[in-house]
Amino acid sequence: MTDSHPPYGGQPDPNVTSRSGPPAPQGGHPGYGQPRQAPRFEAPAPPPQKPKRALVIGLSAAVVALLVLAGVGLALVNDDDHTPSATSSEPGADATPTPAGSESKEPGDNAVTARSDSDLGNVCEGSQILNAAPYNGPSGAKAYTFTNSPDRPALWSSTSIASNKPYYAGSTDFASVSVVGCLEFVGGEGTPRECEYNDTLLKRFTIDYVSSRYKLTFYAARTGEKIGDGGTVSTPADRCPTFLSQYNKDTMRAYASPDTDTIEAALDKLLS
């Protein structure tokens, strides 16, 4: 009989219990008849996590990059808003070539586009007609002539030209006209002729009809440049006109207008 109590004053053997057998061998090998235990392997340590500070720095760098790109985009947009329209660096690159012998003068501030035959009278006031035919010399040129009066010097009235003349142009053919003749009033002369007319109420009245002088000048319709001088045209008041279109109601005076034969003689000389 084995006494399970330790000797008096002794310590119990830790390897012996009341229900255990003899103590396990202390060697590294299992005892005879005991099963071999599988070796234990420790689980691999988890990979170290990246510090959150690096993540914050990466996000901050991305935000800064986006802001820089946005700023560049805005700068490009603003630059487009203030970029002037593209122009050619070569002189005359955009100029429309003109036929040989035609004018190349640039349109001025007073250039106009004619919408009727009367608009070509603006040439006598220094204007250029943008849609007039170019003047390439007398051959084949079409012409209009205009005259003013002392009472309304800025008002130019057309004068008639015979339709059988080679330079004749109808009222609707104003775009084919390249020459404009301007008869500018110079002054009256001689003793007036008294001419009597009836008004709309058949009331009789008298007009002093005065001989006059005009200076005739020819211009290229498109450029307004002077191309010829017709000299001074004298218009005698040798007989009263059948119909008087203009007269001064205050002075009851009218001035003789140049006749068709005188104008055509000047045009024949210029455009022959």
Side-chain angles (χ1 to χ4, degrees):
M1 178 173 179
T2 304
D3 190 357
S4 60
H5 299 279
Y8 177 82
Q11 297 293 329
D13 189 348
N15 296 319
V16 179
T17 61
S18 59
R19 291 188 173 88
S20 64
Q26 300 298 319
H29 300 282
Y32 178 77
Q34 293 182 354
R36 182 182 297 272
Q37 295 180 354
R40 297 181 179 179
F41 297 96
E42 295 182 356
Q49 296 183 354
K50 294 183 179 180
K52 295 184 177 180
R53 184 178 178 182
L55 179 60
V56 172
I57 293 175
L59 291 176
S60 299
V63 171
V64 171
L66 289 176
L67 291 175
V68 170
L69 292 176
V72 172
L74 290 175
L76 291 175
V77 171
N78 291 334
D79 186 66
D80 290 341
D81 292 340
H82 294 85
T83 301
S85 57
T87 56
S88 173
S89 59
E90 298 181 2
D94 296 331
T96 302
T98 54
S102 63
E103 317 91 23
S104 58
K105 183 179 178 181
E106 294 295 328
D109 295 336
N110 57 348
V112 298
T113 299
R115 292 178 173 81
S116 66
D117 57 337
S118 61
D119 288 338
L120 272 77
N122 291 307
V123 174
C124 301
E125 289 293 309
S127 295
Q128 302 164 262
I129 307 301
L130 297 176
N131 56 335
Y135 177 69
N136 296 318
S139 178
K142 303 296 182 181
Y144 279 166
T145 56
F146 298 86
T147 182
N148 67 352
S149 68
D151 298 323
R152 290 185 286 182
L155 178 64
W156 296 85
S157 302
S158 61
T159 61
S160 60
I161 297 175
S163 59
N164 61 346
K165 292 292 183 179
Y167 44 79
Y168 168 82
S171 59
T172 59
D173 300 327
F174 56 87
S176 67
V177 173
S178 60
V179 177
V180 171
C182 301
L183 292 133
E184 181 181 4
F185 179 82
V186 176
E189 56 188 11
T191 302
R193 176 181 292 274
E194 294 185 353
C195 300
E196 294 186 351
Y197 298 94
N198 294 326
D199 60 14
T200 55
L201 299 177
L202 299 180
K203 183 178 180 180
R204 201 78 172 168
F205 63 95
T206 302
I207 295 294
D208 290 334
Y209 192 55
V210 185
S211 298
S212 57
R213 290 179 292 110
Y214 294 83
K215 179 183 178 182
L216 176 58
T217 308
F218 296 102
Y219 299 93
R222 176 174 286 189
T223 64
E225 292 180 318
K226 180 180 176 180
I227 59 174
D229 190 349
T232 300
V233 177
S234 296
T235 305
D238 51 0
R239 57 187 180 87
C240 294
T242 303
F243 176 75
L244 194 63
S245 59
Q246 295 181 0
Y247 65 92
N248 191 313
K249 294 182 179 180
D250 294 330
T251 62
M252 300 300 288
R253 176 171 287 198
Y255 293 88
S257 298
D259 56 32
T260 301
D261 292 339
T262 304
I263 296 172
E264 290 178 353
L267 285 169
D268 290 341
K269 183 178 180 180
L270 176 72
L271 302 178
S272 60

